[in-house]
Every structure is written in C-alpha cells, then in structure tokens.
Amino acid sequence: NAGVTQTPKFQVLKTGQSMTLQCAQDMNHEYMSWYRQDPGMGLRLIHYSVGAGITDQGEVPNGYNVSRSTTEDFPLRLLSAAPSQTSVYFCATWGSGDTEAFFGQGTRLTVV
Amino acid sequence: AQTVTQSQPEMSVQEAETVTLSCTYDTSESNYYLFWYKQPPSRQMILVIRQEAYKQQNATENRFSVNFQKAAKSFSLKISDSQLGDTAMYFCAFSFLQGAQKLVFGQGTRLTINP
C-alpha cells in the first residue's frame, strides 16, 4: 500500500499561473483534507471532504478550488497563483473508526 | 472556534535530558482528540502520541508521555532520555470525535537535541 501520495514534491510557479496539486490514497478513507504550512502558523485547513461529491471550506479557502469525484483522489487547484500561496501543502486522510490522520509527504510550492 | 496555542517557538536541550513541550487549547466540546505530531527535516508528519479527552489516564508511548489537564485545557508532551533523532518540529493538534477531517494545529515548537 502506498498510503497517501502527493505529487509533485516541489513546484515553482510564476504569478498568475494555474496548477493542480494531486493527492491520491489507497486506504479507502472517507475523509480527505488539504492543509498549508507556513512558518509560525502551524498547519491550516484549506478544504476538506467527507466523501465523494462532498467538499467544504476550511479556515483559508480563498484562491483554492477542490473537487472529489472519487474516494481515492482529492486534487487542489490554484487558479491564479499569488506569492502569498508560497507554502508547503499537505494532504491528509482519515477513515471512519480510525483515531488518527495519515499525511502525504507534502508539496513545497514557490510562487515568484 | 477551536484554537491551539504552543507558546514555545524553540527549545534546545542536551542529549539524554528530559524536555517538556507545552500546549493549551480552547474548546467548548467535552469529547475530542488531542495529538502531538513530529515533523523532522524530511517534512513527513509523524504521529507521536494521541489522547482521547474522555480518558483520564495520560497516554504514553515509550519515551513519550503527556500530561493532560482537561479542566485547564492543557496538553503537554514530555520526552524522556532525549535522543538526537528527536530533533524536529513538534505540533500539538485538536480534533473533534465527529469531524476528524478538520484538525486544528498549534504554531509548532522547534526542538533541537544537542550532543
């Protein structure tokens, strides 16, 4: 089992470009979430999903879109990248009955 | 809204010493989870220890233990016999029992173990 796989691991974008961060899981978990990590601020929730077809906003959703067409995949889209979106992004999953979240290895995104 | 506060941005101790990382939180819920996550330079988020709020007994995992004070909303992590491999960023986190997809994290404490 791969667990939670994020791609890419590193990315540099120019301001205004768009891109999609991929998150795939093979654990059949219902819950999936995206977090961003910034120095001195810990991890903050961007968007989350409680199942295929259901998504909702977290604490810092502006500038990001998500969709959940399958249980396995939860992509995060940046429609027009801004320098303020320079951060490390984590995808996490959680299955019902579990008592912990499982994280991907993170994506370091730099917007210049 | 739930909040988690880690008041120690950085800590440094000598190898084999004991170190305690502080965490306080705020919630009106009575049942929830609390976690400590370790993030080494590899960036991977590693679960260190978990506490269910409805359990009075403090959780322990080998050299790691917590002091959970529910009334004071305090959740500190004690690392005994610290090792060089414990050097990492440590995050305290809160989760509802229902709504586990919405973790709330503290700001983090960067811990350095010196030889």
Side-chain angles (χ1 to χ4, degrees):
Chain A
N1 283 351
V4 183
T5 302
Q6 287 184 237
T7 55
K9 289 185 174 57
F10 300 93
Q11 183 70 50
V12 178
L13 285 180
K14 293 183 179 179
T15 297
Q17 286 185 320
S18 63
M19 81 159 295
T20 300
L21 306 185
Q22 302 289 348
C23 178
Q25 54 112 348
D26 61 2
M27 296 181 288
N28 202 33
H29 284 171
E30 301 91 328
Y31 306 133
M32 297 187 75
S33 305
W34 277 103
Y35 297 87
R36 60 177 288 172
Q37 179 182 359
D38 301 293
M41 304 187 77
L43 282 75
R44 293 179 292 169
L45 182 65
I46 305 171
H47 285 284
Y48 65 95
S49 170
V50 299
I54 306 170
T55 64
D56 206 346
Q57 296 180 350
E59 179 186 355
V60 289
N62 291 342
Y64 307 96
N65 280 352
V66 293
S67 61
R68 183 104 180 264
S69 57
T70 67
T71 299
E72 293 78 19
D73 300 297
F74 190 43
L76 179 71
R77 298 182 184 85
L78 284 70
L79 300 179
S80 179
S84 61
Q85 294 178 304
T86 293
S87 188
V88 178
Y89 292 85
F90 286 95
C91 177
T93 72
W94 190 305
S96 60
D98 285 340
T99 54
E100 66 177 281
F102 296 85
F103 286 83
Q105 63 271 60
T107 297
R108 179 174 293 278
L109 175 67
T110 302
V111 183
V112 298
Chain B
Q2 281 56 233
T3 60
V4 177
T5 302
Q6 293 178 248
S7 59
Q8 305 153 312
E10 294 186 13
M11 297 187 72
S12 178
V13 299
Q14 296 299 118
E15 192 176 8
E17 289 183 345
T18 294
V19 59
T20 298
L21 280 59
S22 301
C23 173
T24 59
Y25 61 95
D26 189 23
T27 182
S28 58
E29 296 290 318
S30 58
N31 288 324
Y32 46 87
Y33 293 120
L34 293 166
F35 307 87
W36 279 99
Y37 280 92
K38 171 184 178 181
Q39 187 183 48
S42 67
R43 205 166 66 201
Q44 184 66 42
M45 294 291 286
I46 302 167
L47 179 65
V48 174
I49 201 164
R50 172 184 58 243
Q51 175 79 43
E52 291 88 346
Y54 56 87
K55 292 185 177 179
Q56 293 185 341
Q57 187 172 4
N58 288 327
T60 62
E61 289 286 343
N62 300 315
R63 299 182 295 108
F64 299 88
S65 61
V66 297
N67 183 4
F68 173 49
Q69 300 290 326
K70 191 172 184 179
K73 296 181 181 175
S74 172
F75 183 61
S76 61
L77 174 70
K78 185 171 81 171
I79 305 174
S80 303
D81 186 25
S82 58
Q83 301 175 359
L84 297 179
D86 295 332
T87 293
M89 181 74 81
Y90 287 81
F91 292 101
C92 179
F94 167 99
S95 165
F96 294 115
L97 294 187
Q98 304 299 328
Q101 69 280 10
K102 296 188 290 183
L103 287 164
V104 179
F105 286 86
Q107 302 90 329
T109 296
R110 184 173 300 280
L111 176 64
T112 302
I113 309 299
N114 299 305

